[in-house]
Amino acid sequence: MRKYINATIYGNPESREILVENGRFKAIGNDLGNAGEVVDLGGRLVLPPYVDPHLHLDYIFSGLGEGNANVSGTLFEGIRRWSENKKSLTEEIVRERAIKGIQKELSHGVQFIRTHVDITDPNLTGMKALIKLREELKDIVTLQLVAFPQEGFFRYKGAEQLMEKALEMGADVAGGIPHFEISYEHGVESLRRIVDLAIKYKVMIDIHCDENDDPNSRFLEVLNALVLEKDYGSYTTASHTCSFGSVENSYANKMLGLFRESQINFISCPTENAHLQGRGDTYPKRRGLTRVKELLENGNHVAFAQDSIADYWYPLGNGNMMNILDNGIHLAHYTHIDEMNKAFDLITYHGAHIMRVSDKYGIEAGKPANFIVLDAQDAYEAIRERAEVLASIRNGEYLFKREPRKNELAIEFLQQS
Ligand code: 17E
Ligand code: FE2
């Protein structure tokens, strides 16, 4: 039995102690009695692990190397370059890339990852490699795999059959990319079929949806209508939805009412889309962000995600969700103190809700003892200081533990904290 004392638990200000036994939380509260081992957290902030609900583990580091840069900085050039590169893909390459990416994410306190996996590949190389890793690594990270038709459900010949095969192999989520199909009608029909496939295989849905600046790109409206009718909204996520940041207020307000009815979820990738979007603008230049604040106020779950680590779409990224949160709250104007006090929801609880792992997620008695410790005394300080993750604990065991950074300034006067 191990007891953590002097903890500041996110969302539970009354409790200061956490008791862990046999890999689970035994009790959360105060004066919890004796334990074999006592860890004094010194008032530091304790959160459930970070969740990165939108990543492309099969693409990681593909964009490194001479001649590989995406010159226009657009989505379309990224897809074209990937399409050429992926012809030489092997299971070993995907495995290596994914492991590197997972290591990076884990080292920043992530324990839950939803990754899209390109299935527009006759051999389903990425899916095969990642299904193996999902099982091998399940004790240290929860991986969810999206069968994602990167080159189009109709635009890539045979994608429909490949998607079905990937779902039969055990993909957790059905993906799509309607704004990349050859016409609006093809995009709509792709959504119809993907929703039907998801229902047939009893999996969730996560669509790359309107990842552009075009206010007339209305696949979000179509996706929402389809899942509203089938009562499948809470199993469904619209990722990116950048164009929803460009539509008229009157249209947005109408749609918000419909999103409230469907309870559809949203994922925004603030660094990725700040980079990719607005490329056709002169000035003012758009930020590529969906209406994060309004969707949250509307009662929909919104999570932030990394999306890329040094691939053809985005040259940066290191799995540090604090960086994503910092960028996201700036771009979304989610910076009132009351908003920042709950902003960690966007990289913890909301992602867990979207991945539908909430029954095993959170700092509550009986749940697996998964949590992280930040080098800050409360949520606001953690965000302002972009606090480091000092420890990540999974099933009661440390994935890592590090010492708090010391003030190393040489001048004595500056050595006060
Ligand atoms: N593929 C896509 O369609 N959009 C993205 N942002 C990435 C891959 C990273
Ligand atoms: Fe993506």
mmCIF file of all heavy atoms in Angstrom, residues 54 56 59 75 79 148 150 177 179 208 211 240 272-273 276 307-308 311 313, ligand 1:
data_model
loop_
_atom_site.group_PDB
_atom_site.id
_atom_site.type_symbol
_atom_site.label_atom_id
_atom_site.label_comp_id
_atom_site.label_asym_id
_atom_site.label_seq_id
_atom_site.Cartn_x
_atom_site.Cartn_y
_atom_site.Cartn_z
ATOM 1 N N HIS A 54 -5.869 12.432 -30.858
ATOM 2 C CA HIS A 54 -5.741 12.521 -32.321
ATOM 3 C C HIS A 54 -4.268 12.639 -32.699
ATOM 4 O O HIS A 54 -3.655 13.697 -32.566
ATOM 5 C CB HIS A 54 -6.530 13.715 -32.870
ATOM 6 C CG HIS A 54 -6.614 13.733 -34.371
ATOM 7 N ND1 HIS A 54 -7.804 13.799 -35.054
ATOM 8 C CD2 HIS A 54 -5.648 13.671 -35.327
ATOM 9 C CE1 HIS A 54 -7.578 13.787 -36.349
ATOM 10 N NE2 HIS A 54 -6.261 13.717 -36.541
ATOM 11 N N HIS A 56 -1.140 10.695 -35.514
ATOM 12 C CA HIS A 56 -0.890 9.795 -36.660
ATOM 13 C C HIS A 56 0.436 9.097 -36.402
ATOM 14 O O HIS A 56 1.478 9.561 -36.859
ATOM 15 C CB HIS A 56 -0.835 10.581 -37.967
ATOM 16 C CG HIS A 56 -2.138 11.210 -38.372
ATOM 17 N ND1 HIS A 56 -2.976 10.648 -39.309
ATOM 18 C CD2 HIS A 56 -2.743 12.348 -37.952
ATOM 19 C CE1 HIS A 56 -4.052 11.424 -39.458
ATOM 20 N NE2 HIS A 56 -3.935 12.462 -38.643
ATOM 21 N N TYR A 59 2.847 8.137 -39.278
ATOM 22 C CA TYR A 59 3.499 9.192 -40.071
ATOM 23 C C TYR A 59 4.717 9.807 -39.367
ATOM 24 O O TYR A 59 5.440 10.597 -39.970
ATOM 25 C CB TYR A 59 2.529 10.352 -40.330
ATOM 26 C CG TYR A 59 1.267 10.040 -41.095
ATOM 27 C CD1 TYR A 59 0.280 11.010 -41.233
ATOM 28 C CD2 TYR A 59 1.058 8.804 -41.690
ATOM 29 C CE1 TYR A 59 -0.887 10.767 -41.931
ATOM 30 C CE2 TYR A 59 -0.118 8.538 -42.388
ATOM 31 C CZ TYR A 59 -1.088 9.522 -42.510
ATOM 32 O OH TYR A 59 -2.239 9.279 -43.195
ATOM 33 N N LEU A 75 -2.436 21.161 -46.478
ATOM 34 C CA LEU A 75 -2.912 19.784 -46.324
ATOM 35 C C LEU A 75 -2.697 18.979 -47.600
ATOM 36 O O LEU A 75 -2.228 17.836 -47.567
ATOM 37 C CB LEU A 75 -4.415 19.846 -45.987
ATOM 38 C CG LEU A 75 -5.174 18.529 -45.987
ATOM 39 C CD1 LEU A 75 -4.758 17.661 -44.821
ATOM 40 C CD2 LEU A 75 -6.674 18.787 -45.951
ATOM 41 N N ILE A 79 -0.636 15.423 -48.264
ATOM 42 C CA ILE A 79 -1.214 14.152 -48.724
ATOM 43 C C ILE A 79 -0.452 13.638 -49.953
ATOM 44 O O ILE A 79 -0.146 12.455 -50.068
ATOM 45 C CB ILE A 79 -2.729 14.308 -49.022
ATOM 46 C CG1 ILE A 79 -3.488 14.665 -47.735
ATOM 47 C CG2 ILE A 79 -3.294 13.014 -49.628
ATOM 48 C CD1 ILE A 79 -4.979 14.941 -47.917
ATOM 49 N N PHE A 148 -8.312 4.875 -41.118
ATOM 50 C CA PHE A 148 -8.411 6.201 -41.731
ATOM 51 C C PHE A 148 -8.044 6.161 -43.225
ATOM 52 O O PHE A 148 -6.896 5.877 -43.584
ATOM 53 C CB PHE A 148 -7.475 7.165 -40.972
ATOM 54 C CG PHE A 148 -7.348 8.522 -41.597
ATOM 55 C CD1 PHE A 148 -8.470 9.261 -41.959
ATOM 56 C CD2 PHE A 148 -6.092 9.087 -41.819
ATOM 57 C CE1 PHE A 148 -8.348 10.516 -42.541
ATOM 58 C CE2 PHE A 148 -5.961 10.341 -42.399
ATOM 59 C CZ PHE A 148 -7.097 11.054 -42.756
ATOM 60 N N GLN A 150 -6.799 7.914 -45.738
ATOM 61 C CA GLN A 150 -6.127 9.193 -45.999
ATOM 62 C C GLN A 150 -6.324 9.703 -47.420
ATOM 63 O O GLN A 150 -6.503 10.888 -47.648
ATOM 64 C CB GLN A 150 -4.623 9.066 -45.705
ATOM 65 C CG GLN A 150 -3.789 10.292 -46.038
ATOM 66 C CD GLN A 150 -4.073 11.478 -45.136
ATOM 67 O OE1 GLN A 150 -3.633 11.528 -43.999
ATOM 68 N NE2 GLN A 150 -4.846 12.454 -45.626
ATOM 69 N N ILE A 177 -12.548 11.262 -44.585
ATOM 70 C CA ILE A 177 -11.968 12.547 -44.995
ATOM 71 C C ILE A 177 -12.818 13.139 -46.125
ATOM 72 O O ILE A 177 -12.366 13.288 -47.267
ATOM 73 C CB ILE A 177 -10.462 12.374 -45.361
ATOM 74 C CG1 ILE A 177 -9.788 13.695 -45.705
ATOM 75 C CG2 ILE A 177 -10.264 11.312 -46.459
ATOM 76 C CD1 ILE A 177 -8.271 13.666 -45.705
ATOM 77 N N HIS A 179 -13.844 16.005 -47.118
ATOM 78 C CA HIS A 179 -13.427 17.201 -47.867
ATOM 79 C C HIS A 179 -12.353 16.885 -48.896
ATOM 80 O O HIS A 179 -11.943 17.758 -49.649
ATOM 81 C CB HIS A 179 -12.929 18.296 -46.903
ATOM 82 C CG HIS A 179 -11.866 17.798 -45.965
ATOM 83 N ND1 HIS A 179 -12.178 17.222 -44.759
ATOM 84 C CD2 HIS A 179 -10.521 17.750 -46.071
ATOM 85 C CE1 HIS A 179 -11.050 16.855 -44.155
ATOM 86 N NE2 HIS A 179 -10.031 17.163 -44.934
ATOM 87 N N HIS A 208 -11.927 13.140 -40.050
ATOM 88 C CA HIS A 208 -11.236 14.385 -40.414
ATOM 89 C C HIS A 208 -12.289 15.195 -41.186
ATOM 90 O O HIS A 208 -12.633 14.841 -42.317
ATOM 91 C CB HIS A 208 -10.039 14.103 -41.319
ATOM 92 C CG HIS A 208 -8.819 13.630 -40.597
ATOM 93 N ND1 HIS A 208 -8.752 12.444 -39.926
ATOM 94 C CD2 HIS A 208 -7.593 14.221 -40.453
ATOM 95 C CE1 HIS A 208 -7.548 12.307 -39.393
ATOM 96 N NE2 HIS A 208 -6.819 13.376 -39.697
ATOM 97 N N GLU A 211 -11.335 20.060 -42.818
ATOM 98 C CA GLU A 211 -10.011 20.579 -42.436
ATOM 99 C C GLU A 211 -9.568 21.551 -43.524
ATOM 100 O O GLU A 211 -8.666 21.297 -44.309
ATOM 101 C CB GLU A 211 -8.996 19.436 -42.261
ATOM 102 C CG GLU A 211 -7.685 19.918 -41.626
ATOM 103 C CD GLU A 211 -6.644 18.825 -41.436
ATOM 104 O OE1 GLU A 211 -6.838 17.694 -41.934
ATOM 105 O OE2 GLU A 211 -5.611 19.116 -40.792
ATOM 106 N N HIS A 240 -10.802 18.328 -36.287
ATOM 107 C CA HIS A 240 -10.361 19.546 -37.002
ATOM 108 C C HIS A 240 -11.503 20.578 -37.129
ATOM 109 O O HIS A 240 -11.441 21.626 -36.529
ATOM 110 C CB HIS A 240 -9.751 19.228 -38.376
ATOM 111 C CG HIS A 240 -8.561 18.332 -38.304
ATOM 112 N ND1 HIS A 240 -7.382 18.727 -37.724
ATOM 113 C CD2 HIS A 240 -8.354 17.059 -38.723
ATOM 114 C CE1 HIS A 240 -6.501 17.743 -37.797
ATOM 115 N NE2 HIS A 240 -7.073 16.716 -38.378
ATOM 116 N N GLU A 272 -1.240 22.250 -35.133
ATOM 117 C CA GLU A 272 -1.289 21.721 -36.499
ATOM 118 C C GLU A 272 -2.054 22.660 -37.423
ATOM 119 O O GLU A 272 -1.600 23.020 -38.501
ATOM 120 C CB GLU A 272 -1.993 20.356 -36.475
ATOM 121 C CG GLU A 272 -2.164 19.716 -37.836
ATOM 122 C CD GLU A 272 -0.999 18.809 -38.198
ATOM 123 O OE1 GLU A 272 -0.207 18.468 -37.316
ATOM 124 O OE2 GLU A 272 -0.893 18.448 -39.380
ATOM 125 N N ASN A 273 -3.253 23.052 -37.000
ATOM 126 C CA ASN A 273 -4.091 23.822 -37.915
ATOM 127 C C ASN A 273 -3.728 25.301 -37.956
ATOM 128 O O ASN A 273 -3.973 25.958 -38.975
ATOM 129 C CB ASN A 273 -5.572 23.555 -37.646
ATOM 130 C CG ASN A 273 -5.979 22.155 -38.094
ATOM 131 O OD1 ASN A 273 -6.428 21.336 -37.300
ATOM 132 N ND2 ASN A 273 -5.773 21.840 -39.366
ATOM 133 N N LEU A 276 -1.284 24.795 -40.770
ATOM 134 C CA LEU A 276 -1.789 24.408 -42.102
ATOM 135 C C LEU A 276 -2.790 25.397 -42.691
ATOM 136 O O LEU A 276 -2.882 25.533 -43.907
ATOM 137 C CB LEU A 276 -2.478 23.039 -42.035
ATOM 138 C CG LEU A 276 -1.632 21.782 -41.912
ATOM 139 C CD1 LEU A 276 -2.546 20.559 -41.780
ATOM 140 C CD2 LEU A 276 -0.710 21.603 -43.116
ATOM 141 N N ASP A 307 -1.822 15.671 -33.147
ATOM 142 C CA ASP A 307 -1.990 15.380 -34.578
ATOM 143 C C ASP A 307 -0.707 14.861 -35.229
ATOM 144 O O ASP A 307 -0.672 13.750 -35.724
ATOM 145 C CB ASP A 307 -2.532 16.603 -35.333
ATOM 146 C CG ASP A 307 -3.238 16.252 -36.638
ATOM 147 O OD1 ASP A 307 -3.457 15.070 -36.889
ATOM 148 O OD2 ASP A 307 -3.589 17.179 -37.394
ATOM 149 N N SER A 308 0.333 15.685 -35.263
ATOM 150 C CA SER A 308 1.544 15.312 -36.005
ATOM 151 C C SER A 308 2.799 15.482 -35.170
ATOM 152 O O SER A 308 2.879 16.396 -34.357
ATOM 153 C CB SER A 308 1.751 16.256 -37.199
ATOM 154 O OG SER A 308 0.807 16.059 -38.201
ATOM 155 N N ASP A 311 5.939 15.281 -39.460
ATOM 156 C CA ASP A 311 5.556 14.529 -40.658
ATOM 157 C C ASP A 311 5.368 15.483 -41.837
ATOM 158 O O ASP A 311 5.804 16.640 -41.782
ATOM 159 C CB ASP A 311 4.305 13.660 -40.380
ATOM 160 C CG ASP A 311 3.084 14.488 -39.961
ATOM 161 O OD1 ASP A 311 3.059 15.712 -40.251
ATOM 162 O OD2 ASP A 311 2.166 13.911 -39.356
ATOM 163 N N TRP A 313 2.886 17.019 -42.818
ATOM 164 C CA TRP A 313 1.904 18.079 -42.610
ATOM 165 C C TRP A 313 2.399 19.160 -41.666
ATOM 166 O O TRP A 313 1.927 20.273 -41.687
ATOM 167 C CB TRP A 313 0.599 17.483 -42.070
ATOM 168 C CG TRP A 313 -0.125 16.660 -43.071
ATOM 169 C CD1 TRP A 313 -1.162 17.082 -43.854
ATOM 170 C CD2 TRP A 313 0.103 15.299 -43.439
ATOM 171 N NE1 TRP A 313 -1.570 16.068 -44.672
ATOM 172 C CE2 TRP A 313 -0.820 14.969 -44.439
ATOM 173 C CE3 TRP A 313 1.014 14.316 -43.010
ATOM 174 C CZ2 TRP A 313 -0.875 13.695 -45.023
ATOM 175 C CZ3 TRP A 313 0.964 13.060 -43.594
ATOM 176 C CH2 TRP A 313 0.029 12.761 -44.578
HETATM 177 N N1 17E B 1 -3.741 13.850 -42.588
HETATM 178 C C1 17E B 1 -4.715 14.779 -42.740
HETATM 179 O O1 17E B 1 -5.623 14.591 -43.566
HETATM 180 N N2 17E B 1 -4.686 15.875 -41.974
HETATM 181 C C2 17E B 1 -3.720 16.066 -41.079
HETATM 182 N N3 17E B 1 -3.723 17.162 -40.328
HETATM 183 C C3 17E B 1 -2.682 15.097 -40.936
HETATM 184 C C4 17E B 1 -2.738 14.003 -41.714
HETATM 185 C C5 17E B 1 -1.589 15.304 -39.955
#
